[in-house]
Amino acid sequence: MAQYRVSPPPSLTTERLWIRAIATAALFVALGGDAIRNTLGLTGFIVVAAALGIASAAFLFRQLRHSGLRGPWPWSLAAFILYAIASLAWSSWPGATVITLLGMLLCTVLGLFLALVTSWTELVSALSLALKALLGLSILFELFVSVVLRRPVLPVFPLTGEAFPAKPPLLMYWSRNELFGGDRIQGIVGNANLLGALALLGIIVFSLQLAQRRVMPASLLVREGGRGWGIFWLALAVLLFALSRSSTMILALGAVIVVAAAVLLIRRAAPGPARTRVYLWVGGVVVIGGGAALALRDTVFGLLGKGSDLTGRSEIWDIVAGVARRSPVVGNGYASPWIPAFEPFDSLVVRHGVVQLQAHNAWLDIWMQLGVIGVVLLGAVCVSTLWRTWFMAVDRPRVDLDASRPYTPLAMLPLLLLIVLLVQSAAESRPLIEWGWVLIVLLAVASKRRPLMDAFGPLAPEAAAAASARYTRTERAE
């Protein structure tokens, strides 16, 4: 009797399953690094991060060995990374520079792995699963603290390795037991601003997945439970966003809504003069709205419960600017995040008894570390990535001669993620570290090398990926 051997489809092979698992775990660790450090300590976090880095590097090396280094690359990103490495030669804090460069390179490897080894389908799924896990654990953690423990909770391990003081400042607590107390909650990550950022990312991802399901029910990009579960996760993200009350993320949500509305308006306009008119209207609204917000910033921040300096940040910025002026052009050496084991970061900024690990402004932080040159290079990375992700969002997918393929809601995802990072960079240095840097590398590389989502209605993901590769080769040849 003849025997037939049936092979699984490419997306379900053991290798692809491992890639999806590593991608989900990598995003979970990058997004929830504080939760892992609070649970396992810094040593445990390093072990977990290193293991994921090795696994990601192995798949990345295999991919690059197969495809080579040919193809378009975001050279501004490469220049920024190389300049950060070169800053070790003149760093004022070489020990901190070495350690933080290792962290940046690890995050860069994870970002490259996500951009080059995973498909857009796998990437969206991994990001969605990681956010669901962190948001679900956050509400369960806060419920456990408020219902069972009924008291504030400190991390299992202090970040500095030293014992907690007899009366720890509020900033040290993992949870302050505020779920039913009316104040901001911090979730499993132990930080209200970070929880707000994760919740906003969840709102974006889950909303676009639901929209994708409505427009393209058969799309493999949204095959994660039923519509009811999608609504549940979106509702949970909205709830945690409201309970975190992050002023920065409220402003980021406003920016996301404005950008998403602009994309939808431009999509509806016919190419040519009609689209140009929409661009002019949108530009005018942005300029007028931005000017009004700047003029009324005291009122806006007051409504958000903040001062015009975002509650004490001006003091931090003055200190950091003073250090930056020592070497304003080339910088004093890369150091993101600040390592309190090295001078001057052990006492550079101390607020409420807690040593700060960042400048609370990514651009000011980079000015201090890499000077004007670093600011220009990072700006080039962000502007070029913003340009590419914008046209990914507003243009119809072109994989052949058919110019009428439907828009995909998820094509807006890269742009909206970048908008969140850019708004966050004005009040936090998070875009320079962990998940912020992973996403910047991912978006910069993927938008350059794979500018098309790999799901366009009836077009199979494998065929769309091949079409995207052909599109990239054609763009490079021109």
Side-chain angles (χ1 to χ4, degrees):
M1 179 181 296
Q3 294 183 348
Y4 298 93
R5 186 174 181 178
V6 179
S7 299
S11 60
L12 295 179
T13 59
T14 302
E15 179 181 1
R16 299 315 301 181
L17 293 176
W18 270 108
I19 288 172
R20 287 201 290 273
I22 293 172
T24 304
L27 284 169
F28 179 87
V29 171
L31 292 162
D34 292 270
I36 296 173
R37 283 188 291 272
N38 288 343
T39 307
L40 303 178
L42 184 58
T43 302
F45 171 77
I46 292 174
V47 171
V48 172
L52 285 171
I54 292 171
S56 300
F59 278 105
L60 178 61
F61 176 76
R62 181 177 177 182
Q63 175 72 20
L64 292 177
R65 187 176 61 178
H66 173 72
S67 61
L69 296 176
R70 300 183 308 274
W73 290 93
W75 295 113
S76 56
L77 176 66
F80 177 84
I81 294 172
L82 291 175
Y83 186 69
I85 295 172
S87 72
L88 180 60
W90 63 83
S91 176
S92 299
W93 35 73
T97 299
V98 170
I99 293 175
T100 52
L101 278 176
L102 290 174
M104 184 186 73
L105 293 176
L106 174 60
C107 291
T108 301
V109 167
L110 294 179
L112 290 173
F113 165 76
L114 294 170
L116 301 178
V117 179
T118 66
S119 65
W120 280 111
T121 302
E122 293 165 333
L123 178 60
V124 173
S125 177
L127 180 58
S128 174
L129 290 173
L131 288 169
K132 288 175 181 177
L134 288 167
L135 296 178
L137 288 172
S138 290
I139 192 64
L140 292 176
F141 174 66
E142 291 289 355
L143 281 170
F144 178 77
V145 170
S146 295
V147 175
V148 179
L149 299 181
R150 300 183 182 180
R151 58 176 174 79
V153 176
L154 286 167
V156 177
F157 295 95
L159 181 61
T160 61
E162 301 176 357
F164 291 109
K167 291 185 177 180
L170 285 176
L171 290 176
M172 282 189 176
Y173 279 97
W174 192 356
S175 171
R176 302 175 190 173
N177 185 28
E178 292 291 352
L179 183 59
F180 304 119
D183 205 349
R184 306 168 67 193
I185 69 169
Q186 302 178 159
I188 196 70
V189 291
N191 184 297
N193 291 327
L194 180 52
L195 178 62
L198 297 181
L200 179 55
L201 295 182
I203 291 171
I204 294 170
V205 173
F206 306 149
S207 297
L208 292 179
Q209 284 184 310
L210 285 171
Q212 183 84 2
R213 182 184 297 278
R214 182 174 178 271
V215 175
M216 299 177 183
S219 173
L220 296 178
L221 282 169
V222 292
R223 207 169 56 183
E224 293 180 23
R227 179 178 176 82
W229 277 110
I231 295 174
F232 167 80
W233 288 112
L234 177 59
L236 178 61
V238 171
L239 173 64
L240 290 176
F241 183 83
L243 292 175
S244 69
R245 299 216 302 268
S246 171
S247 302
T248 304
M249 288 302 108
I250 292 174
L251 295 175
L253 175 62
V256 165
I257 292 173
V258 170
V259 171
V263 169
L264 294 177
L265 285 173
I266 291 172
R267 282 183 172 188
R268 292 173 63 90
R275 180 168 283 197
T276 301
R277 286 194 295 272
V278 174
Y279 269 114
L280 292 174
W281 274 104
V282 170
V285 170
V286 170
V287 170
I288 294 172
L294 184 62
L296 302 173
R297 61 184 179 277
D298 291 346
T299 303
V300 173
F301 288 133
L303 293 174
L304 297 175
K306 300 287 184 180
S308 59
D309 64 347
L310 290 176
T311 310
R313 278 176 168 80
S314 63
E315 179 183 352
I316 300 175
W317 295 340
D318 288 342
I319 294 172
V320 174
V323 179
R325 292 189 190 100
R326 298 175 189 172
S327 183
V329 177
V330 300
N332 296 280
Y334 185 80
S336 290
W338 301 348
I339 307 296
F342 297 93
E343 295 182 353
F345 303 119
D346 56 346
S347 59
L348 183 61
V349 180
V350 181
R351 296 191 69 235
H352 306 297
V354 177
V355 177
Q356 299 297 294
L357 306 181
Q358 57 161 311
H360 291 280
N361 181 293
W363 304 98
L364 194 58
D365 225 338
I366 285 298
W367 181 37
M368 180 187 73
Q369 298 171 33
L370 300 178
V372 173
I373 296 174
V375 172
V376 170
L377 290 175
L378 181 62
V381 173
C382 294
V383 170
S384 59
T385 305
L386 182 64
W387 178 270
R388 293 191 298 271
T389 55
W390 172 263
F391 287 105
M392 285 179 65
V394 301
D395 289 342
R396 290 184 183 274
R398 289 296 301 272
V399 296
D400 49 28
L401 296 179
D402 185 358
S404 60
R405 290 191 182 277
Y407 288 109
T408 59
L410 276 165
M412 289 193 290
L413 179 60
L415 174 63
L416 299 184
L417 293 179
L418 184 60
I419 292 299
V420 173
L421 290 171
L422 291 177
V423 174
Q424 187 185 39
S425 70
E428 301 286 340
S429 298
R430 180 68 62 171
L432 302 176
I433 62 174
E434 293 188 337
W435 64 270
W437 187 248
V438 170
L439 288 184
I440 285 179
V441 173
L442 160 65
L443 296 174
V445 175
S447 64
K448 186 74 173 180
R449 293 181 62 91
R450 295 193 287 122
L452 298 176
M453 283 284 188
D454 49 18
F456 305 110
L459 193 63
E462 290 79 7
S468 181
R470 290 197 301 272
Y471 175 93
T472 302
R473 288 196 298 270
T474 302
E475 183 185 59
R476 184 169 65 251
E478 293 174 350

